[in-house]
Amino acid sequence: MLETRLDLDRIHAARRVIDPMFLDTPMYPCDALGRRLGCTVHVKLETANPVRSFKARGTELVTSLLAGQGRTDVVCASAGNLGQALGWSGRRRGLNVTVVASRRAPVAKLDRIRALGAELELVDGDFEMARERAADIARERGIRLVEDSLDVETCEGAATIGLELAGAESTFDTVLIALGGGAMATGVGYVLKSLLPGVEVICVQPVGAPAMTRSWHERRVITTESTDTIADGVAGRYPIPAVLDDLLAVADDAVLVHESSIIAGMRMLLEDTGLVIEPSAALGVAAVLEDRDRFAGRHVVTVLCGGNVDLDAYQRWVRR
Amino acid sequence: MLETRLDLDRIHAARRVIDPMFLDTPMYPCDALGRRLGCTVHVKLETANPVRSFKARGTELVTSLLAGQGRTDVVCASAGNLGQALGWSGRRRGLNVTVVASRRAPVAKLDRIRALGAELELVDGDFEMARERAADIARERGIRLVEDSLDVETCEGAATIGLELAGAESTFDTVLIALGGGAMATGVGYVLKSLLPGVEVICVQPVGAPAMTRSWHERRVITTESTDTIADGVAGRYPIPAVLDDLLAVADDAVLVHESSIIAGMRMLLEDTGLVIEPSAALGVAAVLEDRDRFAGRHVVTVLCGGNVDLDAYQRWVRR
C-alpha cells in the first residue's frame, strides 16, 4: 500500500469529469527514434489538444469542483501551460480566470493565455515570484488559488495518464516523466506503482533546475537560488513538502540532464516523429541520450507533456 | 439509400480489425486558426501514429484479409504514405511487402518505407508510372496488388474516420477532405452522408493535380497529361471510374486550390496548432483561405491526413 495523497478510485472517477478531448491521447511506437536511442520507444502524446499540454486533465477537475461550489473566480501562477489549461477549463464553466506568470515566459504561452480570455498579470521575477503574487491576489480578492502539484486535483488529473499507460497493450518496462512541481510525476508514478509495480518510474529534470531532483535524492526539501534552463515548464525552485513525500513513495529514480541533451531530444523528436514539442517534453529522450547503457534494450515510454514553444526559439534550437 | 460500393456494417466491422493505435484519433477545436479563417475549426489529426497518415486504417484491413487467405506477398504503388502503411501492417502479419514509388517522391517517405522492411522499387516517372509497374510486378510474380481507392478495403479503412466524426460531440456543418485517388473522400463522405446527411462534404484538390475534381464536375473520367503540385500525396492523373461513381454519390462539392494557399495553410497549422503536416493535409485550410465568404461563420472539420514531409522542403515552405 503506497502512502500518498493519491487514491485510485478518485483517479478513475476523474476520467468521468475531464472532457474526453483530453483523455486517451495517442500512444505509439517510434521505431526510428528507438533505433537511434538503442531501445524500444513509445511516445505518449499530450500535445494534440487545444491547450497543447496535459495540464487540462487537472484543470478540468479543479474547475468542475469550483463551479459545483458556486465559485466565480480563480487564480493561479503558471509557467505557461497551467494558465492556458485553467483558462480553457474555466471559460467552459463560466469562471473568471486570473493567471500570474513571469514576464520571461515564452511569448506563445502568454499570448495563448490571453486568447483564452484569462486575465494575465506578469511579474518581473521567475515562476516562484509569480506563485507569491498569485497567493497575494487570492488573499486580496478572497478567491480560490489553484496551486499546481499541491492541489491534489492537479495530480489526479495527471494521474489519468497513468491509467492510460497501465491499460495500454504494449508491455513497457520504464516510464520517463518530466519533473517540475511534481504533479505529473507523482500522479503517473502513483498509478504505475499501484497497477504495474514492475515498471521503473524515472523522473527527469534539467541540471539547470534541479531542486526537486536534489530533494528526492536527499529526502528533504532543497531549494535553489535560481534556475537556468530552456525547459521553462519545469523550472521551479521551491519544492512543496507534501509533493516531495509523494514523489519519494512512487519514483524509482530522478535524474538530471543537460541543455544540450534536451535540444538533441527535441531535434530527434522532430526528425523521427514529426512532432514539435517544448523543451520539457524532451526530457525523457534527453535522459536516454545521457545514459545509453542504462536503457540499452529496454522498452521505455516517454510522456510528451507539452508543445507550447516560441517557434523562433524552437527553430534556433533544432537547426543543425 | 446511397448507391456506392461501401457498406456501413462492413465499416463498423473494420474497427474491430484495425489496430486501435490507428483509431479514435484526436479531434479538437483550434480557436486561433478559426479566428484567422473566420469560422469555427476542428482538426481531425491522422498524423500521430507510426506511419504518420490515415492510410494504415486501410492497410490493416487489406493485410488482415491476405493473411487470412494464407497469402505471403503483396505489392502496391504508392505516393509514399500507402507504402509505409502497407509496410507497417504487412510486417505485423508476416507478409513480404513490395512498394513501387516515383523516384521524385519525398525522400522522407521513401526512407521510411525501407525502414519498415518493405522492398522498395523506384520508377523514373510519376505515381501513375508506379501504378503500372506495380501491376506488372503483381502479374509477373502472381502476387496480390493493392490498389488504393479501387480496393474497397482502402475506402472502408478511411471510412472509419467518418464513423469517428459522426460520433463526435461537436456539431459541425462542413467537412473538408483532401482528394487524391478518392479512398478518403468516398469513405468519409459515405459515412457522413449516411449518418449526418446535413453535413456538407467538400473535397479539395490542388489546381496542379485536378483530374478527380474535374471528373467529379463533368461526371465522367477526365485524365491529365501531368501534375504540378507540392501536395505529392494527391497527385494522380487517372481517376478510377468506380471511385468516381462513389464520389459522385457522396460529395457535395470538389474544389481546387493554389499552391500558395496550401503553403499558407501549412504555415497557419504550424503557427496556430504546432502541427507539422504535409501539403495534402493543408488542402482543407487552403480551401477556406480561397473562399472565405463561403465558410464565414460555419463550423468546419478539416482532416489532417498526413505528416510525412521532407523537413528541408517544409522549412522552405513555411519560412516567412
Side-chain angles (χ1 to χ4, degrees):
Chain A
M1 186 64 189
L2 295 167
E3 290 291 335
T4 70
R5 300 175 301 145
L6 286 142
D7 176 87
L8 264 189
D9 289 339
R10 283 177 56 102
I11 297 163
H12 277 288
R15 276 185 61 90
R16 296 191 290 274
V17 176
I18 300 168
D19 188 316
M21 190 190 297
F22 300 108
L23 296 173
D24 300 320
T25 53
M27 174 168 158
Y28 56 98
C30 296
D31 289 0
L33 183 60
R35 276 193 297 274
R36 280 218 261 184
L37 295 176
C39 54
T40 301
V41 178
H42 271 69
V43 296
K44 175 72 170 165
L45 183 68
E46 294 295 314
T47 66
N49 64 54
V51 301
R52 300 194 208 177
S53 85
F54 74 98
K55 295 273 185 184
R57 294 177 185 254
T59 57
E60 287 284 288
L61 297 179
V62 170
T63 55
S64 161
L65 208 64
L66 291 176
Q69 295 166 347
R71 304 279 204 124
T72 56
D73 292 80
V74 59
V75 60
C76 76
S78 172
N81 284 341
L82 182 70
Q84 283 179 71
L86 192 62
W88 171 272
S89 297
R91 184 174 64 175
R92 194 176 153 227
R93 293 172 179 86
L95 296 169
N96 301 311
V97 175
T98 303
V99 177
V100 187
S102 163
R103 208 174 294 279
R104 302 175 220 153
V107 175
K109 289 181 174 176
L110 300 178
D111 284 348
R112 288 175 202 148
I113 290 169
R114 286 192 198 95
L116 286 161
E119 186 185 324
L120 178 65
E121 182 173 324
L122 298 177
V123 298
D124 283 323
D126 69 357
F127 172 66
E128 301 297 354
M129 298 298 107
R131 264 170 80 181
E132 284 180 23
R133 177 63 191 140
D136 288 345
I137 290 174
R139 267 191 304 273
E140 287 163 14
R141 299 196 207 160
I143 61 176
R144 166 68 188 270
L145 173 67
V146 175
E147 292 193 78
D148 205 359
S149 304
L150 179 58
D151 289 357
V152 76
E153 293 82 8
T154 63
C155 305
E156 290 168 343
T160 57
I161 298 172
L163 290 183
E164 294 167 24
L165 295 177
E169 277 187 43
S170 51
T171 52
F172 50 89
D173 51 52
T174 308
V175 174
L176 299 165
I177 313 176
L179 180 60
M184 184 164 62
T186 57
V188 175
Y190 170 78
V191 173
L192 290 175
K193 284 296 147 192
S194 302
L195 300 180
L196 297 175
V199 169
E200 191 174 18
V201 174
I202 302 178
C203 306
V204 192
Q205 214 166 26
V207 163
M212 192 54 134
T213 296
R214 283 198 201 151
S215 301
W216 186 86
H217 282 280
E218 301 206 15
R219 305 186 69 82
R220 66 186 175 88
V221 169
I222 310 281
T223 61
T224 61
E225 286 293 309
S226 61
T227 62
D228 182 15
T229 177
I230 60 169
D232 58 274
V234 295
R237 295 188 286 119
Y238 304 154
I240 299 168
V243 184
L244 174 59
D245 286 345
D246 289 350
L247 195 66
L248 285 166
V250 303
D252 292 298
D253 201 359
V255 302
L256 297 175
V257 296
H258 295 89
E259 300 293 290
S260 57
S261 305
I262 297 172
I263 289 172
M266 280 192 287
R267 188 183 296 132
M268 285 185 184
L269 282 159
L270 177 65
E271 291 174 354
D272 291 345
T273 69
L275 298 169
V276 173
I277 49 135
E278 62 183 270
S280 307
L283 288 166
V285 173
V288 179
L289 286 172
E290 293 211 359
D291 198 354
R292 285 171 177 274
D293 288 348
R294 174 177 187 172
F295 296 99
R298 291 175 69 164
H299 185 161
V300 309
V301 178
T302 183
V303 182
L304 305 185
C305 51
N308 282 298
V309 74
D310 280 338
L311 279 177
D312 288 345
Y314 180 81
Q315 303 280 12
R316 274 197 311 278
W317 292 327
V318 301
R319 192 178 298 146
R320 283 194 178 274
Chain B
M1 187 67 188
L2 294 167
E3 289 293 333
T4 71
R5 300 176 302 145
L6 287 141
D7 175 88
L8 264 188
D9 290 339
R10 283 178 57 102
I11 297 165
H12 277 287
R15 277 185 60 90
R16 296 192 290 276
V17 176
I18 300 168
D19 188 317
M21 190 190 296
F22 300 108
L23 295 173
D24 301 320
T25 53
M27 174 168 159
Y28 56 98
C30 296
D31 289 0
L33 184 60
R35 275 192 298 275
R36 278 217 261 184
L37 296 177
C39 53
T40 301
V41 178
H42 271 68
V43 295
K44 176 71 170 165
L45 184 67
E46 293 296 314
T47 66
N49 65 55
V51 300
R52 301 194 206 177
S53 86
F54 74 97
K55 294 274 186 185
R57 294 178 186 253
T59 57
E60 288 284 287
L61 296 179
V62 170
T63 57
S64 162
L65 207 64
L66 290 177
Q69 295 166 347
R71 304 280 203 124
T72 56
D73 293 80
V74 59
V75 60
C76 75
S78 173
N81 284 340
L82 181 71
Q84 284 179 72
L86 192 63
W88 169 274
S89 297
R91 184 174 65 176
R92 192 174 156 230
R93 294 174 178 85
L95 297 170
N96 302 311
V97 175
T98 302
V99 178
V100 186
S102 163
R103 208 175 293 280
R104 304 175 217 154
V107 175
K109 289 182 174 176
L110 300 178
D111 285 348
R112 289 175 202 145
I113 290 169
R114 287 192 198 94
L116 286 162
E119 185 185 323
L120 179 65
E121 182 173 322
L122 298 178
V123 298
D124 284 321
D126 68 358
F127 172 66
E128 301 297 354
M129 298 298 107
R131 265 170 80 181
E132 283 180 23
R133 177 64 190 139
D136 288 345
I137 291 174
R139 266 191 305 271
E140 288 162 16
R141 300 196 205 158
I143 62 177
R144 166 69 187 266
L145 172 68
V146 174
E147 292 193 79
D148 205 0
S149 306
L150 179 59
D151 289 357
V152 75
E153 293 82 10
T154 63
C155 305
E156 290 168 343
T160 58
I161 299 173
L163 289 182
E164 294 166 25
L165 295 177
E169 277 187 43
S170 51
T171 51
F172 49 89
D173 51 53
T174 308
V175 173
L176 299 165
I177 312 175
L179 179 60
M184 185 164 62
T186 56
V188 175
Y190 171 79
V191 173
L192 291 175
K193 284 295 146 191
S194 302
L195 301 179
L196 297 175
V199 168
E200 191 173 18
V201 174
I202 303 177
C203 306
V204 191
Q205 213 167 26
V207 163
M212 192 54 135
T213 296
R214 282 198 202 152
S215 302
W216 186 85
H217 282 280
E218 301 207 14
R219 306 186 70 83
R220 65 186 176 89
V221 169
I222 311 281
T223 61
T224 62
E225 285 293 308
S226 61
T227 62
D228 183 14
T229 177
I230 60 170
D232 57 274
V234 294
R237 297 187 287 119
Y238 304 153
I240 299 168
V243 185
L244 174 59
D245 286 345
D246 289 351
L247 195 67
L248 284 166
V250 302
D252 293 298
D253 200 358
V255 301
L256 298 174
V257 296
H258 295 89
E259 299 294 290
S260 57
S261 305
I262 297 172
I263 289 172
M266 280 193 287
R267 188 183 296 132
M268 285 186 183
L269 281 159
L270 177 64
E271 292 175 353
D272 291 344
T273 69
L275 298 169
V276 173
I277 49 136
E278 62 183 90
S280 306
L283 287 167
V285 173
V288 180
L289 286 172
E290 294 210 358
D291 198 353
R292 286 172 177 273
D293 287 349
R294 174 176 187 170
F295 296 100
R298 292 175 69 164
H299 186 161
V300 309
V301 178
T302 183
V303 182
L304 306 184
C305 51
N308 283 299
V309 73
D310 280 338
L311 279 178
D312 288 344
Y314 180 81
Q315 303 281 10
R316 273 198 313 279
W317 292 327
V318 300
R319 192 178 299 146
R320 280 192 180 279

